[in-house]
Amino acid sequence: MKLIDGKAMATAIKAEIAEEVKQIVANGGKQPHLVAVLVGHDGGSETYVKNKVLACEQCGFKSTLIRYEDNITEVELLACVDKLNKDGDVDGFIVQLPLPKHIDEQKIVEAIDYHKDVDGFHPVNVGRMSIGLPCFISATPLGILTLLQRYHIETSGKKCVILGRSNIVGKPMAQLMMQKHYGDATVTVCHSHSATLKEECREADIIIAAIGRPDFVTADMVKDGAVVIDVGTTRVPDATRKSGFRLNGDVKFDEVAPKCSFITPVPGGVGPMTICSLMKNTLAAGKKEFYK
Ligand code: GUN
């Protein structure tokens, strides 16, 4: 079994990005600028955004954090998005999700100029991704693809089972794993209503678990030599931790790991790669790589 070290890989890629930014700036170019919009005080969102801002520093980007209380109206948030769309100094921006219930998330996502949509959530980017055109690709699937590529894990012709069908992970992951240019795999998507979920997993060469149910994938669901990618990051109460919780993956790591050829840990697997991919997208936005 080989442990996939997402933390080390993210550190290495951020160093590559920082080097490129240095060159850009030395040649008189502009430092990429990422803006993060954070509404309210959700613990998970606070941590993610803090880590995104830190990653910007590590990459040599300019970053700005815009905070709002959770009583902000939809109209006010749309005005903020509009301002960022028009701000020539801003290369890319994200609105951290989830948003409070009174705000229509999809409306906000669709209001973002897709040229600056470094999350890759806008329907234009989602559509272009699904037909293999240059675009911003959602950070978690992009991070997983990078891990698979850099660990030289063969995906072409393999059976890949994706657990979960979210817009952010499951759906784009399935699209990318099936496409010739990326995964070139035979893809099955399973979800909470899949009658044959366990059987599908047992047949899989690659399992990508993104259902948000701690310890869902057990050893009896995994065939010998499989590659297991764990996207789960559920906060579960843990009195032994200073924070009072720990991050728990979707995979029962201790019993599944011995059966795997490769496996990602939680934390330190997919999570750091997600942030790293957001940095890649921001660099691409600064360079106008996908859209002129
Ligand atoms: N909430 C959970 N993951 C993400 C993400 O990748 N981007 C944004 N904007 N919100 C999230």
Side-chain angles (χ1 to χ4, degrees), residues 52 94-97 119 121:
K52 288 171 186 177
I94 63 157
V95 178
Q96 188 66 27
L97 305 179
D119 261 331
F121 293 170

Side-chain angles (χ1 to χ4, degrees), residues 132 137 145 149 155 175-184:
I137 295 174
L145 285 176
Q149 282 162 2
T155 57
Q175 283 287 350
L176 293 163
M177 285 305 286
M178 101 167 88
Q179 282 182 39
K180 191 170 182 64
H181 178 65
Y182 294 101
D184 199 28

Side-chain angles (χ1 to χ4, degrees), residues 17 31-35 56 61-62 91-94 116 118-119 136 275-288 290:
I17 295 173
Q31 191 185 21
H33 182 193
L34 175 71
V35 175
C56 281
F61 296 170
K62 178 176 171 184
D91 296 296
F93 67 98
I94 63 157
K116 296 189 178 188
V118 285
D119 261 331
F136 295 111
I275 293 183
C276 171
S277 298
L278 176 67
M279 300 299 114
K280 268 197 193 169
N281 279 346
T282 304
L283 177 63
K287 289 161 66 182
K288 310 249 182 294
F290 305 134

Side-chain angles (χ1 to χ4, degrees), residues 112-135:
I112 296 172
D113 180 349
Y114 67 86
H115 298 84
K116 296 189 178 188
D117 169 39
V118 285
D119 261 331
F121 293 170
H122 190 283
V124 169
N125 282 312
V126 176
R128 289 178 65 93
M129 180 272 296
S130 73
I131 53 173
L133 294 175
C135 64

